[in-house]
Amino acid sequence: MKKGIYITTPLYYVNADPHIGHAYTQVAADVLARYYRSCQKEVFFLTGTDEYGQKVQDAAAKKGMSPKEHIDGMVGKFKDLWVKLNISNDGFIRTTDKDHKERVQNILRTLYKKGDIQKRSYSGWYCVSDERFWKEKDLKDGCCPDCGRDVQKIEEDNYFFLMSKYQDELIKYIEQTPGYIMPEIRRNEVLGFLNNNKLDDLCISRPKSRLSWGISLPFDDGYVTYVWFDALINYYSATGYIAPQEIKWWPANFHLIGKDILTTHSVYWSTMLMALELPLPKTIFAHGWWTITGEKMSKSFGNVVNPLELIEKWNVDSFRYFLLRQVTFGLDGNFSEEQFKSRYDSDLANELGNLLKRVLSMINKYSPEYLTKEPDGFDRKINKLYGELDGLYGELKFNIILQKIWDIVKAANIYIEQQKPWELNKNGEEKRLAEVLTNLFEVLRNISQMLEPFMPETCKKIKKQLGVIRAPKDINFKWSPTDNFKNIRDGLPLFPKQ
Ligand code: MSP
């Protein structure tokens, strides 16, 4: 069976409104998916929502609603934002899906039969916000070492996944599989942790007396499974009922996550797959965090950046561009609207927007013929970049890709200043004028192809104004000019002054 490219995002908790952090992973995954589709690859891009657990149960109780009623309202907010952000996900999984639940229960049964799940008594400190247990020694000033919130002392019998059994196998796997955990700094972090600490077994149940909002353990109805255990399984379960069945999707090619959930993915999920004797995903990529003037974004600080407001004020593509151009994917970044404005004015309005406007107005004014004799080096520049794209996307180097596209945009603007088409026109150098304007037209067409995964609406507008008649797939990722100027149309500026 043919193997497709399978890309996932985390499943978002539905207890708060989506913000820029969630939008970040979505946009990155969307750009990857669009790129691979443009290479004529079969792509399955999955996102969704994480709907069980204590937090949801508590939030619903506060509103006097059932968990399901509470969640249904929230899920819509995520879905609406993804539409506004032009996210082209092929599937949306909800952990409350009946099919997901059945698959989780099958997996629990398999691991229980295998002896990899055992019942033990347990005492620990529980952080509701992070949905995880800590040991006394891990606490910081009596609070959760991760989020600083209060923790509750809990003593109870629970079921454990024997994660520690797989520690050596996991270390070996990570050491021998470059690219499994990316970027390198995160891989080293996980290896450092595994090499210096003995892994505990993972508590994967909660008694229903304390938490009823979850998936029941198939071998003990008094318990539900731990929210992370069921949520991680989504990546695999979706391939059984949401993804098209005629293509093989597992193992996933890219799990995109934030750095805060690296342990759950690189340790919990990897060992769960090892226990199930399933192949591990090709890459788990942990991106950094957006902060606001250096501060963590949080409701209580009142500094949460709402993507909807930014999209409405600027436009969706400039938001997508900013997220992936401003910061190296993998590192933390600081969000400020001044920086956003500066990227908008310089890169988008001045460099790209003006290039299109100038080229179209010169073609309209001078009516040159379409002449492709002398590409003046643009053919080499563009073919070189097409050749590099696969490698750069494979390493999720989004800002480098954009930088390289902009090198060509800048080179085209300089070319206009050097060639001075207005003088060629004045001096009656018609052939040269035709060559120069054809080159600029072809540069813009290729840019609209390369930039499409990042800025789909803008590229559609560029193509429409250029009157490009060939479908993008015909371009076949190389400089191959065979168009004409007949379909050129006037259009509104791509990035109007704000
Ligand atoms: N439900 C779990 C994931 C389960 S995956 C099987 C979860 N959900 S979350 O809603 O809290 O976070 C989802 C993602 O948003 C995480 O990857 C997290 O890193 C990301 N972000 C949340 N705030 C962020 C920023 N301020 N900046 C960048 N990304 C951040 O964890």
Side-chain angles (χ1 to χ4, degrees):
M1 206 189 257
K2 201 166 132 200
K3 168 84 179 76
I5 305 260
Y6 179 24
I7 301 164
T8 70
T9 71
L11 299 194
Y12 303 102
Y13 287 133
V14 286
N15 50 321
D17 289 354
H19 57 61
I20 187 174
H22 307 128
Y24 189 39
T25 332
Q26 289 301 110
V27 170
D30 186 61
V31 170
L32 267 190
R34 286 177 185 270
Y35 170 70
Y36 287 114
R37 285 192 205 109
S38 77
C39 301
Q40 313 305 306
K41 302 242 167 76
E42 302 279 356
V43 171
F44 178 53
F45 165 19
L46 180 75
T47 188
T49 41
D50 191 351
E51 306 187 358
Y52 288 117
Q54 187 92 47
K55 261 189 287 191
V56 172
Q57 182 170 294
D58 294 352
K62 245 192 222 159
K63 285 193 191 165
M65 286 177 164
S66 74
K68 185 80 174 118
E69 276 169 347
H70 164 64
I71 296 163
D72 286 349
M74 295 300 291
V75 169
K77 292 193 182 182
F78 282 82
K79 287 193 168 168
D80 287 352
L81 178 60
W82 303 156
V83 170
K84 295 222 164 72
L85 271 175
N86 248 328
I87 303 299
S88 63
N89 55 298
D90 302 292
F92 192 100
I93 187 168
R94 298 181 57 172
T95 52
T96 50
D97 288 350
K98 186 171 146 284
D99 290 275
H100 173 69
K101 178 177 151 192
E102 280 166 15
R103 283 167 173 84
V104 169
Q105 289 183 323
N106 286 341
I107 285 179
L108 284 163
R109 240 179 247 119
T110 308
L111 295 179
Y112 188 61
K113 264 197 213 138
K114 195 179 168 191
D116 273 357
I117 292 181
Q118 280 177 7
K119 194 172 187 182
R120 292 177 189 166
S121 67
Y122 186 73
S123 112
W125 294 89
Y126 196 67
C127 169
V128 175
S129 172
D130 285 2
E131 302 274 13
R132 63 171 292 182
F133 277 111
W134 297 100
K135 288 188 182 158
E136 178 106 34
K137 70 171 174 55
D138 299 324
L139 302 181
K140 240 198 226 152
D141 304 326
C143 294
C144 170
D146 189 40
C147 69
R149 291 186 173 85
D150 286 344
V151 284
Q152 312 166 2
K153 173 89 185 198
I154 285 177
E155 289 189 58
E156 60 198 15
D157 280 353
N158 262 317
Y159 286 87
F160 284 78
F161 164 54
L162 306 194
M163 186 161 77
S164 59
K165 242 174 90 174
Y166 297 95
Q167 177 158 7
D168 293 342
E169 196 181 329
L170 179 59
I171 293 177
K172 206 163 131 204
Y173 188 84
I174 299 174
E175 279 173 350
Q176 291 177 352
T177 319
Y180 179 53
I181 298 172
M182 284 167 76
E184 191 72 10
I185 129 178
R186 303 291 167 216
R187 173 178 185 263
N188 295 340
E189 221 173 84
V190 175
L191 275 178
F193 168 77
L194 289 171
N195 280 318
N196 293 304
N197 295 280
K198 187 155 168 15
L199 267 191
D200 286 325
D201 291 329
L202 180 67
C203 177
I204 57 143
S205 69
R206 305 289 180 258
K208 281 192 183 163
S209 53
R210 180 158 68 82
L211 171 73
S212 56
W213 185 235
I215 297 179
S216 297
L217 295 187
F219 40 82
D220 189 338
D221 199 42
Y223 290 84
V224 293
T225 191
Y226 171 40
V227 60
W228 269 103
F229 192 85
D230 104 72
L232 288 163
I233 292 173
N234 92 85
Y235 300 130
Y236 183 67
S237 73
T239 62
Y241 73 99
I242 300 178
Q245 297 302 298
E246 40 314 330
I247 313 251
K248 183 175 161 314
W249 300 105
W250 196 259
N253 296 70
F254 299 98
H255 283 334
L256 264 52
I257 58 167
K259 64 178 186 179
D260 54 316
I261 54 175
L262 181 60
T263 310
T264 48
H265 283 77
S266 59
V267 181
Y268 299 3
W269 180 225
S270 305
T271 51
M272 283 162 70
L273 287 167
M274 284 174 167
L276 290 164
E277 295 167 39
L278 283 168
L280 271 55
K282 299 266 180 253
T283 292
I284 298 173
F285 193 105
H287 63 67
W289 266 48
W290 284 96
T291 52
I292 313 300
T293 47
E295 297 280 348
K296 200 172 167 175
M297 208 168 35
S298 107
K299 241 188 186 170
S300 43
F301 293 152
N303 63 355
V304 177
V305 178
N306 180 350
L308 279 177
E309 284 168 17
L310 288 168
I311 297 172
E312 266 156 36
K313 178 159 173 203
W314 304 89
N315 59 44
V316 58
D317 279 354
S318 51
F319 178 67
R320 292 170 60 110
Y321 174 80
F322 179 81
L323 289 183
L324 295 181
R325 174 64 186 86
Q326 188 69 4
V327 179
T328 302
F329 200 61
L331 302 181
D332 291 342
N334 192 48
F335 180 86
S336 87
E337 209 163 332
E338 291 94 82
Q339 284 166 347
F340 192 122
K341 180 171 172 11
S342 138
R343 286 266 171 220
Y344 183 94
D345 289 343
S346 70
D347 305 10
L348 299 177
N350 284 345
E351 292 176 348
L352 179 60
N354 272 345
L355 176 66
L356 179 71
K357 202 168 118 210
R358 288 177 88 187
V359 171
L360 290 184
S361 78
M362 287 190 290
I363 294 177
N364 278 331
K365 194 159 157 200
Y366 306 139
S367 311
E369 67 174 301
Y370 180 90
L371 187 60
T372 61
K373 282 229 164 89
E374 178 45 76
D376 288 337
F378 281 113
D379 54 341
R380 262 180 292 114
K381 274 198 188 77
I382 281 171
N383 286 344
K384 182 165 171 281
L385 183 50
Y386 276 136
E388 289 170 350
L389 286 180
D390 250 350
L392 292 168
Y393 275 105
E395 293 186 38
L396 294 95
K397 296 202 162 148
F398 299 117
N399 65 332
I400 308 274
I401 298 171
L402 288 171
Q403 221 170 297
K404 286 182 181 256
I405 295 176
W406 251 258
D407 286 345
I408 297 175
V409 171
K410 286 180 185 151
N413 278 318
I414 293 172
Y415 183 69
I416 298 180
E417 295 310 314
Q418 286 170 342
Q419 300 297 325
K420 302 187 175 47
W422 49 94
E423 285 189 6
L424 297 174
N425 178 57
K426 203 163 75 193
N427 301 336
E429 293 180 60
E430 274 176 31
K431 185 172 151 284
R432 184 65 193 143
L433 177 64
E435 274 173 6
V436 168
L437 291 178
T438 303
N439 286 339
L440 288 164
F441 174 93
E442 286 300 334
V443 163
L444 277 162
R445 184 188 22 203
N446 281 282
I447 282 169
S448 73
Q449 170 70 7
M450 294 196 226
L451 198 54
E452 192 275 343
F454 294 88
M455 308 180 83
E457 272 186 15
T458 303
C459 292
K460 219 192 271 165
K461 285 188 199 157
I462 300 179
K463 283 186 177 135
K464 197 163 165 202
Q465 295 190 25
L466 292 175
V468 168
I469 46 172
R470 280 183 300 147
K473 66 175 193 276
D474 294 341
I475 290 174
N476 207 11
F477 295 110
K478 62 177 193 298
W479 175 271
S480 57
T482 50
D483 219 311
N484 61 50
F485 295 139
K486 287 196 195 109
N487 299 302
I488 279 183
R489 279 184 240 174
D490 276 337
L492 294 170
L494 295 178
F495 303 100
K497 274 259 169 289
Q498 294 282 333

